[in-house]
Amino acid sequence: SVWSVDALERPAILKRLEGMPGWSLALDAQGVLALHCDFWVPSYRGAIEFVQAVGAEAERLNHYPHLEIAHHCEDGATVTAKVFTHAISAVSEFDLELAQRMLQLYVPTHGCADHAPDVSTADYRYELPESFIADFPASPRGASRLLVALPEPADPHAQEQPGASPAPLDLFAGSFVDLPSLLPSDAHLVCNASQVFAARIFAQEADQESSDPIEVMFLSPDPCDTDPATMLARACDGQTWRCMVRRAVDAPGLRLSVRAGSLEADGVRLSMTVERLHSVWREEGEADGVEATLRLWCSDSHAAAHTVFGQLGSVPLPPHIRRAPQEADKAAYQPVYASSDAVGSVAAPTAGLHFTPDLVQALKHKGMRWSQCVLHVGAGTFRPVTAEKVAQHVMHSEVFMMSLQDLEDVIDSLQAGKTVVAVGTTSARLLESLYWLGVAPQRYSPSGMSL
């Protein structure tokens, strides 16, 4: 009998890659489309052990990857894997099976899978009428409403019963400017000072002046654990970024450029080439696209990425706001306390949008402490969940940081029994992550720690 294997269709490969973090579809040096992944390990010995484990699994499957090890001295080592079926010079089902097994060998579950809730994504679906969505912020800033939930007064004669339900909450509508009167005077607020950059660019296919605009949303530098603020301050030319491209792309190589004359760009032109495909990007009410790694080429080789994006891009308003960005959005879609030294979010930490300089001063004047942290909002916050089960959704990583002084101040407040208030979910996630990294150290990477 003659052994044969079928090449998989590219859209089918991208669909499968949605549940395989780190793997991408790219052309190798010989022009062969293959699966690629970089595995970081903390030591060279660890890299050897991982390769040995992969080798044993490859023997079992009778299917073998191409592996390379790069040692980074004190920064560990990287095992680079390339997988494709040599007999057909394409990707087959054997390749996806081997790639999935490599992920399982690389990331032990440590029992986490046993505790993952069996929750259907459909259980969280609800209808939100468009009439309930504000297309413009409250005017004046800070005039937004505030839902206040306070515990109902407890019965002083009642005895607490083990396992009893939480006390009911008293709900009432207030205003955000009431915040100083609602918080304890010794409260300690922690806010996310990350600043949003012009992450959305509309481009066209290179050499096709009449093509329709293609939305490109810059998500994070590639590798994804790189600090966005650092890369935005560097020359744009030659950088690689993980992006959402709102167009069906089934192979690397697509070349894009900013549409000539669409914006006043002071002569700066940006070209982009799709180097890797990571997965399909599906978003309700929008055209399908892909998540891809793009390499950037700028006509001004010295221009900083932040400057180029600012000239060619626009404010990345969320998709549920059905209007084009306006000049006023540059200030309105930005927390007033955002730091120019912490530019890197592709969506605003929305809780901060309700604050005004006067409100911040009122909180401080009442005696409340104020600390800052930075979590650059990326695809991990807003990428739609398309998996059938919530636990199957692949979360993107986001870079965060907090100064030692601010962290020590928060610890002092906690030890003194004061109320620590996280301003929004990004600050809450950062504080929770710092706690877990402290009590149960997780995997380290050369540029920091990740969960």
Side-chain angles (χ1 to χ4, degrees):
S1 61
V2 178
W3 181 84
S4 64
V5 62
D6 295 327
L8 293 175
E9 296 291 334
R10 292 168 182 173
I13 299 172
L14 290 178
K15 173 63 177 174
R16 296 278 291 279
L17 290 182
E18 288 185 38
M20 299 171 60
W23 285 98
S24 62
L25 193 61
L27 296 171
D28 66 10
Q30 288 72 43
V32 175
L33 199 63
L35 301 177
H36 294 255
C37 190
D38 291 331
F39 298 92
W40 182 87
V41 287
S43 67
Y44 189 79
R45 179 176 179 178
I48 294 295
E49 292 173 349
F50 175 60
V51 168
Q52 289 174 335
V54 170
E57 186 64 21
E59 287 286 353
R60 188 185 71 82
L61 296 174
N62 194 28
H63 197 64
Y64 304 90
H66 177 85
L67 302 175
E68 293 182 358
I69 299 178
H71 187 225
H72 310 302
C73 297
E74 295 181 354
D75 290 331
T78 301
V79 178
T80 299
K82 179 177 69 174
V83 182
F84 69 98
T85 301
H86 289 259
I88 57 175
S89 295
V91 175
S92 71
E93 186 65 39
F94 294 106
D95 303 307
L96 287 170
E97 182 180 358
L98 176 58
Q100 187 66 59
R101 285 296 298 134
M102 291 178 68
L103 277 180
Q104 294 168 354
L105 292 169
Y106 176 65
V107 186
T109 61
H110 297 299
C112 293
D114 298 334
H115 303 286
D118 185 22
V119 178
S120 172
T121 304
D123 293 341
Y124 286 85
R125 292 186 63 86
Y126 60 91
E127 294 299 325
L128 179 62
E130 290 201 15
S131 59
F132 287 12
I133 302 173
D135 284 334
F136 292 91
S139 182
R141 187 169 189 151
S144 45
R145 293 177 294 172
L146 181 67
L147 178 63
V148 182
L150 297 177
E152 292 184 356
D155 183 354
H157 304 291
Q159 293 186 352
E160 185 176 345
Q161 299 294 327
S165 300
L169 296 176
D170 182 21
L171 302 178
F172 68 91
S175 176
F176 201 78
V177 295
D178 300 331
L179 195 60
S181 64
L182 296 170
L183 295 177
S185 59
D186 62 350
H188 190 149
L189 284 82
V190 181
C191 69
N192 182 7
S194 179
Q195 187 177 119
V196 182
F197 69 98
R200 178 176 285 120
I201 288 179
F202 286 90
Q204 65 178 17
E205 282 194 62
D207 304 324
Q208 294 192 26
E209 296 294 328
S210 60
S211 64
D212 293 332
I214 300 172
E215 179 187 353
V216 178
M217 180 77 165
F218 288 81
L219 304 175
S220 66
D222 199 342
C224 295
D225 58 359
T226 307
D227 179 18
T230 300
M231 300 311 297
L232 286 167
R234 293 180 180 174
C236 178
D237 192 51
Q239 288 195 27
T240 52
W241 278 73
R242 187 76 70 93
C243 302
M244 184 281 295
V245 181
R246 204 174 294 284
R247 169 165 175 180
V249 182
D250 62 6
L254 177 67
R255 294 186 299 116
L256 303 170
S257 63
V258 174
R259 173 173 291 201
S262 62
L263 292 169
E264 295 180 3
D266 297 331
V268 176
R269 295 295 304 273
L270 183 66
S271 299
M272 300 163 278
T273 301
V274 174
E275 288 197 342
R276 291 190 177 198
L277 296 174
H278 298 278
S279 67
V280 176
W281 184 290
R282 292 187 175 89
E283 201 166 335
E284 188 173 350
E286 300 285 348
D288 287 350
V290 294
E291 184 177 342
T293 294
L294 272 60
R295 185 170 294 277
L296 313 182
W297 310 99
C298 184
S299 59
D300 183 348
S301 60
H302 301 291
H306 185 218
T307 301
V308 174
F309 293 165
Q311 291 179 343
L312 301 178
S314 59
V315 176
L317 296 178
H320 58 261
I321 295 181
R322 305 288 185 178
R323 64 172 178 83
Q326 300 180 359
E327 184 65 26
D329 293 323
K330 293 181 179 179
Y333 195 61
Q334 197 84 259
V336 295
Y337 46 72
S339 172
S340 59
D341 294 327
V343 182
S345 281
V346 300
T350 50
L353 300 181
H354 304 288
F355 285 82
T356 65
D358 289 342
L359 181 58
V360 173
Q361 288 304 315
L363 293 166
K364 293 180 178 179
H365 182 72
K366 194 176 176 181
M368 300 183 199
R369 302 186 73 176
W370 188 274
S371 293
Q372 291 189 337
C373 60
V374 172
L375 183 146
H376 295 305
V377 180
T381 294
F382 60 82
R383 174 158 184 167
V385 179
T386 58
E388 291 185 3
K389 299 290 185 179
V390 172
Q392 295 171 345
H393 177 65
V394 176
M395 287 295 295
H396 287 59
S397 62
E398 294 173 317
V399 174
F400 69 85
M401 59 204 72
M402 190 173 190
S403 73
L404 182 59
Q405 183 61 60
D406 280 321
L407 182 57
E408 289 177 341
D409 289 344
V410 171
I411 293 173
D412 288 343
S413 292
L414 289 172
Q415 292 177 337
K418 298 179 180 179
T419 301
V420 174
V421 180
V423 178
T425 58
T426 58
S427 299
R429 292 207 313 273
L430 187 150
L431 292 174
E432 291 171 347
S433 298
L434 285 173
Y435 170 79
W436 285 111
L437 288 169
V439 300
Q442 304 290 315
R443 180 171 59 87
Y444 288 75
S445 71
S447 56
M449 297 178 288
S450 65
L451 288 174

